[in-house]
Amino acid sequence: YCTTSVFKQLAFNYHGLCHHNFFTQIKGLIREVEVTPAEVAGQLMKSKNAHIALQCLFDFLLEKKIQHKGEEES
C-alpha cells in the first residue's frame, strides 16, 4: 500500500510539489486507509492544476475512510 513518502514522491513527479496545504491532511488519511500507489497516481492525474488534483485525492481518501468505517459498523 501507499506510504506518506510514496505519496510525496508521486506529488513531486506529477506536479513538482514538495509542500502544499493539503499534504498534512492527505498524509493523515493515507496512514488510516489502505490505498495503492496506483490509486493515488490516478487521482493526481485527474487535473493539471495541482490544487484540484490534491482536492480530488483528498476527497477520494476521505470517501475510502468513510466506506471503511461503514463496513466496520455493519
Side-chain angles (χ1 to χ4, degrees), residues 42-57:
Q43 295 301 312
L44 292 173
M45 289 189 291
K46 287 194 170 185
S47 177
K48 291 185 179 199
N49 179 306
H51 183 79
I52 293 171
L54 290 172
Q55 178 72 56
C56 289
L57 176 57

Side-chain angles (χ1 to χ4, degrees), residues 1-3 6-7 10 14 34-45 57:
Y1 290 104
C2 192
T3 64
V6 170
F7 156 68
L10 290 169
Y14 286 102
E34 293 181 339
V35 61
T36 67
E39 288 175 309
V40 171
Q43 295 301 312
L44 292 173
M45 289 189 291
L57 176 57

Side-chain angles (χ1 to χ4, degrees), residues 7-8 11-12 15-27 44 49-56 58:
F7 156 68
K8 287 171 54 177
F12 181 79
H15 293 286
L17 295 174
C18 293
H19 302 285
H20 190 278
N21 293 340
F22 270 123
F23 272 28
T24 302
Q25 294 132 312
I26 289 172
K27 288 192 289 187
L44 292 173
N49 179 306
H51 183 79
I52 293 171
L54 290 172
Q55 178 72 56
C56 289
F58 176 78

